[in-house]
Each structure stands twice: as structure tokens, then as C-alpha cells.
């Protein structure tokens, strides 16, 4: 009975409570935030972009910010140009940071794109930066050369290396790529994928994850050419690809449609909904969950779109979340599994000429449980990423435009921390006991609460008989 009591004391603050706060971050008032991670010490790290000095500088740099669990700034680092670049005719590059992850050694890996504006440029390049725990650069690698490559997401793999999702721009369109490196960022292999039937088809890939069998799965979209009574029509289809550990394709799932008569035109043409995938995660039972957007020409509306697949790539269910009546929103940028077996989705929702952070909690079958909207410093408020925190709440990352315009006004990285119901207001909390020297381990779980005593190369939570808890990695 004593052990049961301690476990309850631990679980209550993890899944039922949590504290809320919101805070802007930036050096100059021209910062954007794209990805956030909770760190091993309970704080948070964010990656995005910043101008070197002010809006007159056309050059952007990668910007990472570290704060504690209450949002207090601890440090920030800038990577990229070391000089002020003015005017559209300059030859300075843009350094754009899109994804960050804490590595097994406690440091960070950052993935992004270098936009090369020089007159002799062969196109964009991927940049991969490894830092220590304080954000100090340890090494960096650039991939591209005579190819136009753009890096969007990175994950450390079980062998200590990294997998990167890439778009390659070519004359005929765009190709999807996976790029695998070793633990020092040296390229080991690349694989190319093209599932478009359109010579100028636009293919996009935004998210890649390593799977339980040490292969990979990525999500994006492909541009596809249709022919109907009204003529040729190109649309986007959601695209999921599963590969082995060397990037060889094992299966492909394409989600699109259904194709229906266009009721608005009434001329015999058809409505081809546009589906795009922006984020993918592994699920507890071995399948995959995807978030994105779905646009219908027939209704001229956009919705947050979530698709659940089994481990063979078969669609188990799909859900749309709309009800906002606006053509430009919402968009589901990120989805993450939650401790209760459901999922949390974040995105940008457009209502009455205003953009809001949107947070949607759904159960394991995609049924909506609650929705929260947040407005920050201005009316333009773009959300990119969400994480469930160790106290059971959530943290959102994005950009808030103070002057309500995209260009010519100030904008900041904007972080919101909520409780388990998405509320920013602070709710009741339970204080955990102070660890004792004679404590004994009760059980070990993964971050989803599943008991497992052999977790390696991923975060694990150790629960002790004095009610204390530790988050650890075992690297093998």
C-alpha cells in the first residue's frame, strides 16, 4: 500500500496539473521560432531565425534560445553571418534554423537551410550544427554543393548519427530526399524519392522519424496532375514513405480525395481536395500519426487534417478539424502523442482576419476533447510546434507579429506554457517529495508511461519509492 501511495503522488502532477506562462523572446524584435524541445533539466530550447541587427538587414541567422522551466532566459546563441548585410543586391546568405533536438550527450543538434544569394550560387544548402549543452558550436556540416538542397527536420538515430529530411529543387520540379550522417555529421548515404506524375510537380517533405525496426518513415506531399471534363488540374496529395535502415523504400501511402463534382461551378468539373502532411510521429502500438492540412476547392475552406496509419501504412482513420469558415486556416503543423494515449495538435487558425495559436486535444481515435485558441502581442500569431511537458501540460512555439503585419513591423519568438487542459492560468500543483539517499527504484517507464526496464538510446523515467522521479538516457 505504501508503494501505491507514492506512485499516485507522482502521477497526479504529471498528468493532471501543470503551470502556465507566456513570454516573447528576441534580440532585436525580428525573430521567428520554429521548433521547441523540453530539455533534460526541465527547461526548454527553441530554434528559429533572427536578423543580425534590425529590419534593415536582409540577412537572417539561426537563433537558439534556452530558458528554464518557468520561461526565464538562460542563454541564446546565433549562427550564420558575422556582418550586417543591407539591400536586396547584397550577397549575404540567409541561415534558417528549422529543427532542434537534444542529443544523447546532452548537447543539441540543429538542422536548417542556407539560402545562397550570391551571383555564382548553385542553390540552397543544408546546414547541420552540433553544440554542447550551452549552445556552443562543436562542429557544423554543410551539404549541397552543386545541388539545391533544403533541410527541414533532423533526428538522432540509434547509432548516434542523424537522419535529415530534405527537399531538392531541380529544373523539372522538386525531389524528396533522406540524408543520413554519422555522429560527426559526415554523410553516409542519401536516397531520392519522387512520386509525382507532373514534370514540374512540387514535392515537399517536412518530418522524418526513425522506426522501431531501425528504418525510417517520413511525411510530406506530392504534386499530382489530374485530367477531368474541365481540363488539367494539379493538386497536392499527402505522402507517407517507409524505408529500411539504408533508406530503401518499403511501402508508400498516398492519401488524397475523394474526388467529387464541383458544386460551386456546376460545369461538370471536379473538386480535388489538397492534402499536405507536415509532421509524423510513431505511435504506441507501432503505427504512425500525421498532422497537416486539407483544402477543398468546392467549399473554399481549409481544415486541420490528422491521419492514423498502422505499421503497414494502411489508413486506420482520418479526421478534419475546422468549423472556422476561413479559406486560409487552419493548418496542423505538429502532432505529438500524449501520456493518456491520445494526441495533441498545434497549428495556426485564422478567424476574422486574425491568426491564433490553435491547440487541439484528441483521443486515440481522433475524437476532439477540447480546443484552445491563444492571441499574443498582435493579431498575426503563427504556431509551429508543441510538446507535452513532464508535468502533463503543453508548451507551444511560434511567432507573434506585434504590428499585425508580416513585413515592416516587429515580430518575436513567442512561447506559451499551459496546464494539462491547455489553460495558461496557473492551476493547482502537488509538490513532489525531495529524493532520499536510501530510495529504491519502483519501476522504469518511457515518456508515454509504458513500463519497460530495458529502455536504451531514448528518454526514460525512473520512479522511486520516495515519490521522486528522474529522467535519464542509457546510451549503448
Amino acid at each position: 500500500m505504501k508503494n501505491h501511495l507514492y506512485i499516485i503522488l507522482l502521477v497526479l502532477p504529471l498528468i493532471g496539473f501543470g503551470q502556465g506562462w507566456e513570454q516573447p523572446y528576441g534580440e532585436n524584435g525580428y525573430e521567428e521560432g520554429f521548433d521547441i524541445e523540453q530539455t533534460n533539466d526541465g527547461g526548454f530550447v527553441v530554434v528559429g531565425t533572427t536578423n543580425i541587427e534590425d529590419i534593415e538587414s536582409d540577412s537572417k541567422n539561426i537563433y537558439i534560445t534556452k530558458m528554464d522551466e518557468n520561461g526565464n532566459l538562460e542563454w541564446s546563441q546565433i549562427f550564420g553571418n558575422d556582418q550586417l548585410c543591407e539591400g536586396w543586391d547584397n550577397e549575404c546568405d540567409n541561415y534558417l534554423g528549422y529543427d532542434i533536438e537534444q542529443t544523447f550527450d546532452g548537447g543539441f543538434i540543429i538542422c536548417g537551410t542556407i539560402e545562397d544569394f550570391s551571383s555564382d550560387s548553385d542553390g540552397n544548402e543544408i546546414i547541420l550544427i552540433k553544440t554542447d549543452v550551452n549552445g556552443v558550436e562543436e562542429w557544423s556540416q554543410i551539404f549541397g554543393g552543386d545541388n539545391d538542397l533544403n533541410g527541414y527536420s533532423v533526428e538522432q538515430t540509434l547509432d548516434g548519427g542523424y537522419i535529415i529530411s530534405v527537399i531538392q529543387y531541380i529544373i523539372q520540379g522538386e525531389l524528396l530526399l533522406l540524408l543520413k550522417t554519422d555522429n560527426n555529421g559526415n554523410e553516409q548515404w542519401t536516397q531520392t524519392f519522387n512520386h509525382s506524375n507532373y514534370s514540374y510537380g512540387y514535392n515537399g517533405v517536412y518530418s522524418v522519424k526513425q522506426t522501431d525496426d531501425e528504418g525510417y518513415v517520413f511525411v510530406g506531399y506530392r504534386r499530382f496532375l489530374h485530367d477531368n471534363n474541365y481540363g488539367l488540374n494539379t493538386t497536392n496529395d499527402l505522402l507517407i514513405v517507409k524505408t529500411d535502415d539504408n533508406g530503401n523504400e518499403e511501402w508508400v501511402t498516398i492519401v488524397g480525395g475523394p474526388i467529387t463534382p464541383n458544386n460551386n461551378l456546376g460545369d461538370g468539373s471536379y473538386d480535388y481536395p489538397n492534402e499536405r502532411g507536415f509532421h509524423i510521429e510513431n505511435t504506441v502500438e507501432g503505427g504512425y500519426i500525421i498532422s497537416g492540412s486539407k483544402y477543398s476547392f468546392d467549399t473554399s475552406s481549409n481544415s486541420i487534417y490528422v491521419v492514423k496509419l498502422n505499421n503497414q501504412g494502411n489508413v486506420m482513420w482520418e479526421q478534419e478539424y475546422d468549423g472556422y469558415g476561413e479559406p486560409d486556416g487552419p493548418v496542423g503543423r505538429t502532432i505529438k502523442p500524449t501520456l493518456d494515449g491520445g494526441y495533441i495538435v498545434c497549428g495556426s487558425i485564422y478567424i476574422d482576419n486574425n491568426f491564433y495559436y490553435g491547440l487541439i486535444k484528441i483521443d486515440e481515435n481522433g475524437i476532439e476533447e477540447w480546443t484552445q485558441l491563444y492571441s499574443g502581442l498582435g493579431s498575426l500569431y503563427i504556431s509551429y510546434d508543441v510538446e507535452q511537458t513532464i508535468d502533463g501540460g503543453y508548451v507551444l512555439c511560434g511567432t507573434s507579429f506585434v504590428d499585425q503585419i508580416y513585413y515592416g513591423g516587429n515580430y518575436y519568438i513567442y512561447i506559451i506554457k499551459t496546464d494539462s487542459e491547455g489553460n495558461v492560468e496557473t492551476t493547482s500543483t502537488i509538490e513532489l517529495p525531495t529524493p532520499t539517499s536510501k530510495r529504491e527504484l519502483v519501476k522504469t517507464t518511457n515518456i508515454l508511461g509504458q513500463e519497460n526496464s530495458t529502455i536504451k538510446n531514448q528518454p526514460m523515467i525512473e520512479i522511486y519509492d520516495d515519490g521522486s522521479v528522474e529522467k535519464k538516457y542509457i546510451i549503448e
Side-chain angles (χ1 to χ4, degrees):
M1 179 61 68
K2 184 177 180 181
N3 286 342
H4 288 296
L5 176 61
Y6 286 134
I7 293 172
I8 291 172
L9 285 173
L10 173 67
V11 171
L12 279 175
L14 281 176
I15 66 175
F17 296 88
Q19 294 182 333
W21 49 265
E22 51 188 311
Q23 181 71 33
Y25 301 88
E27 298 280 334
N28 309 303
Y30 308 106
E31 283 78 27
E32 297 176 86
F34 294 117
D35 187 56
I36 189 167
E37 291 283 326
Q38 187 160 36
T39 51
N40 295 339
D41 61 3
F44 305 97
V45 67
V46 178
V47 68
T49 64
T50 181
N51 283 73
I52 296 178
E53 291 189 5
D54 54 35
I55 198 64
E56 298 302 323
S57 168
D58 294 321
S59 179
K60 294 183 177 182
N61 290 308
I62 293 172
Y63 183 59
I64 61 172
T65 303
K66 174 70 170 64
M67 65 278 301
D68 66 18
E69 67 274 15
N70 297 311
N72 300 306
L73 180 65
E74 294 183 329
W75 51 259
S76 62
Q77 297 282 3
I78 295 175
F79 306 94
N81 295 288
D82 58 0
Q83 59 186 1
L84 182 64
C85 304
E86 298 181 353
W88 290 103
D89 58 350
N90 71 78
E91 292 193 352
C92 289
D93 300 332
N94 277 342
Y95 288 75
L96 309 175
Y98 290 122
D99 198 17
I100 189 168
E101 182 177 276
Q102 191 156 32
T103 50
F104 299 151
D105 62 2
F108 302 99
I109 191 72
I110 303 157
C111 173
T113 296
I114 302 174
E115 294 181 339
D116 190 346
F117 296 116
S118 60
S119 57
D120 59 349
S121 170
D122 290 317
N124 296 348
E125 298 171 308
I126 301 166
I127 185 167
L128 192 66
I129 303 171
K130 173 68 173 67
T131 78
D132 65 14
V133 68
N134 296 309
V136 177
E137 182 177 327
E138 295 180 333
W139 53 257
S140 63
Q141 296 279 9
I142 295 175
F143 309 93
D146 56 356
N147 297 314
D148 195 349
L149 302 180
N150 300 263
Y152 285 96
S153 73
V154 64
E155 182 175 65
Q156 189 166 28
T157 52
L158 294 176
D159 63 2
Y162 304 97
I163 189 74
I164 306 170
S165 65
V166 183
I167 295 176
Q168 180 181 5
Y169 293 90
I170 58 175
I171 296 176
Q172 291 81 16
E174 286 77 31
L175 298 176
L176 315 181
L177 278 81
L178 290 184
L179 191 156
K180 175 68 171 65
T181 78
D182 64 16
N183 62 341
N184 293 311
N186 300 304
E187 182 179 325
Q188 293 179 308
W189 53 257
T190 60
Q191 292 283 8
T192 302
F193 310 86
N194 186 9
H195 292 277
S196 175
N197 69 343
Y198 186 42
S199 60
Y200 289 88
Y202 187 93
N203 298 280
V205 57
Y206 289 101
S207 179
V208 61
K209 296 294 177 183
Q210 189 165 34
T211 53
D212 292 339
D213 61 0
E214 299 189 17
Y216 305 98
V217 63
F218 68 82
V219 68
Y221 58 91
R222 59 123 187 225
R223 194 72 168 166
F224 205 74
L225 180 66
H226 305 273
D227 189 4
N228 57 42
N229 296 337
Y230 191 66
L232 296 178
N233 195 335
T234 58
T235 62
N236 298 311
D237 295 322
L238 192 150
L239 175 71
I240 305 100
V241 178
K242 170 69 173 66
T243 78
D244 64 16
D245 59 343
N246 291 310
N248 300 303
E249 191 173 294
E250 293 183 333
W251 53 256
V252 178
T253 295
I254 295 172
V255 183
I259 300 171
T260 58
N262 194 320
N263 297 322
N264 284 342
L265 295 178
D267 57 1
S269 64
Y270 290 87
D271 178 36
Y272 294 88
N274 277 278
E275 295 89 358
R276 294 189 180 192
F278 294 112
H279 192 87
I280 191 166
E281 288 283 339
N282 296 292
T283 61
V284 175
E285 65 275 16
Y288 311 100
I289 192 79
I290 298 106
S291 65
S293 66
K294 185 173 184 177
Y295 179 82
S296 171
F297 289 103
D298 191 9
T299 60
S300 297
S301 64
N302 210 60
S303 61
I304 290 175
Y305 190 45
V306 175
V307 179
K308 175 72 169 59
L309 306 181
N310 65 15
N311 62 357
Q312 299 300 312
N314 301 310
V315 177
M316 300 179 65
W317 54 258
E318 52 186 310
Q319 294 281 2
E320 296 180 53
Y321 309 91
D322 47 25
Y324 304 102
E326 297 287 352
D328 297 323
V331 173
R333 291 290 181 183
T334 302
I335 188 167
K336 299 289 177 65
T338 53
L339 295 169
D340 61 2
Y343 306 97
I344 192 74
V345 187
C346 87
S348 300
I349 295 178
Y350 186 71
I351 304 175
D352 298 329
N353 297 317
N354 293 315
F355 276 103
Y356 298 88
Y357 277 18
L359 193 61
I360 303 175
K361 177 66 175 67
I362 61 178
D363 67 14
E364 66 274 14
N365 297 310
I367 306 302
E368 184 175 335
E369 296 180 332
W370 50 258
T371 297
Q372 296 276 15
L373 301 180
Y374 311 93
S375 59
L377 304 173
S379 66
L380 287 176
Y381 203 46
I382 313 299
S383 174
Y384 290 102
D385 193 30
V386 64
E387 287 276 329
Q388 186 165 35
T389 51
I390 57 175
D391 64 1
Y394 303 98
V395 63
L396 295 92
C397 166
T399 304
S400 183
F401 295 79
V402 179
D403 301 312
Q404 305 181 9
I405 53 177
Y406 281 107
Y407 300 104
N410 292 80
Y411 46 91
Y412 294 88
I413 295 171
Y414 204 83
I415 309 301
I416 297 179
K417 171 68 176 65
T418 80
D419 65 13
S420 60
E421 299 296 322
N423 302 303
V424 180
E425 295 290 332
T426 301
T427 61
S428 300
T429 59
I430 293 177
E431 187 172 344
L432 293 176
T434 302
T436 64
S437 59
K438 296 182 179 180
R439 61 182 180 169
E440 293 184 3
L441 182 66
V442 175
K443 67 177 180 178
T444 302
T445 73
N446 62 20
I447 60 174
L448 296 177
Q450 299 169 314
E451 190 167 354
N452 189 335
S453 61
T454 60
I455 300 174
K456 297 176 181 178
N457 298 310
Q458 59 179 297
M460 67 177 184
I461 296 173
E462 290 185 346
I463 301 171
Y464 292 86
D465 62 355
D466 64 352
S468 61
V469 59
E470 288 187 2
K471 181 181 177 185
K472 292 183 175 181
Y473 282 92
I474 293 180
I475 302 174
E476 182 174 274

